[in-house]
Amino acid sequence: MNFKKIIDLSIPITNETPVYPGDPKPDIHPAAELDQDGYQVTQLNIGSHTGTHVDAPFHFQKEGERIDQSSLTKFMAPGLVIDVTGKAPAQQITMDDVADQIESVVPGTIVLFHTGWAKHIGTETYFEHPYLSVDIINSLLDKGVTTFFIDALNVDPPDGSDFPVHEAITSVNGIIGENFCNFDQIDFANPLIISLPLKLEGLDGSPVRAVAVEVE
């Protein structure tokens, strides 16, 4: 297999990486240093939803799959980029915005919602992102799609008032991915999306290093 192009879809994890309000803020610092100890080790204190990450069904469902229980095929499959750019802060993405783009989606596809919001990382605007209508998700679930990624902080409303999209996806053991980036660089058809979580036993989510691959 020849990888013609690889697009990094992950934002950097630093002490300044934005997190969902109330989530643990990253605390990354040296635990051992080359000059003093002869080797380098870094201590990472981060939440399970830090940076580019995936949500396990257990994130919202008491009996949902934990991140180590979900099939790896949910994190590694052909992708379809849905263009929903041009939305205002905190504006809903509706079925009218996507209907013509999802009409022929096939089961097992990873759907990538391209809001363009990653350009606002580091600003307050990043926290006022557009969000998905649950009607879109229900339509895609009916078509056999169970994995959904977005290049924004959250798939649901930024005010945290309710979580209908999280509930709909996790209730069927689907997967949500947030804080992605560079969806605009996927300029080829049928990208292979790879976004594997760490094997964190019994947990509700995991940071990922996500890529889109053009396979020749």
Side-chain angles (χ1 to χ4, degrees), residues 5-117:
K5 185 184 291 188
I6 300 176
I7 307 298
D8 191 349
L9 306 179
S10 311
I11 69 172
I13 294 181
T14 71
N15 285 334
E16 285 70 48
T17 298
V19 297
Y20 186 80
D23 277 11
K25 294 183 179 180
D27 177 16
I28 304 170
H29 58 267
E33 300 188 66
L34 196 60
D35 291 344
Q36 298 176 17
D37 306 292
Y39 56 89
Q40 201 78 34
V41 174
T42 303
Q43 183 164 334
L44 306 176
N45 297 321
I46 61 175
S48 53
H49 300 262
T50 299
T52 304
H53 68 274
V54 289
D55 297 352
F58 181 54
H59 185 38
F60 271 78
Q61 306 295 330
K62 188 174 182 179
E63 302 302 323
E65 291 176 348
R66 275 60 166 171
I67 198 63
D68 58 310
Q69 296 173 332
S70 292
S71 170
L72 294 180
T73 58
K74 295 181 180 180
F75 309 98
M76 186 168 52
L80 175 66
V81 179
I82 303 297
D83 186 353
V84 289
T85 55
K87 287 292 183 177
Q91 185 177 14
Q92 187 181 64
I93 299 162
T94 69
M95 181 62 79
D96 287 343
D97 296 317
V98 306
D100 59 337
Q101 300 181 73
I102 68 171
E103 186 174 353
S104 58
V105 68
V106 299
T109 299
I110 295 177
V111 169
L112 316 173
F113 292 99
H114 176 213
T115 68
W117 224 249

Side-chain angles (χ1 to χ4, degrees), residues 156-208:
D156 277 312
D159 63 3
S161 57
D162 58 352
F163 301 93
V165 171
H166 277 86
E167 293 282 0
I169 296 170
T170 59
S171 68
V172 295
N173 280 323
I175 299 296
I176 300 163
E178 295 159 324
N179 287 325
F180 283 68
C181 67
N182 296 332
F183 287 172
D184 59 321
Q185 295 184 27
I186 305 175
D187 57 0
F188 46 91
N190 302 314
L192 172 63
I193 307 301
I194 304 172
S195 182
L196 296 174
L198 299 175
K199 197 168 186 178
L200 301 172
E201 188 171 349
L203 295 195
D204 47 82
S206 171
V208 296

Side-chain angles (χ1 to χ4, degrees), residues 1-4 76 192 194 213-216:
M1 182 181 294
N2 183 28
F3 291 170
K4 188 175 180 181
M76 186 168 52
L192 172 63
I194 304 172
V213 181
E214 183 178 16
V215 180
E216 195 169 42

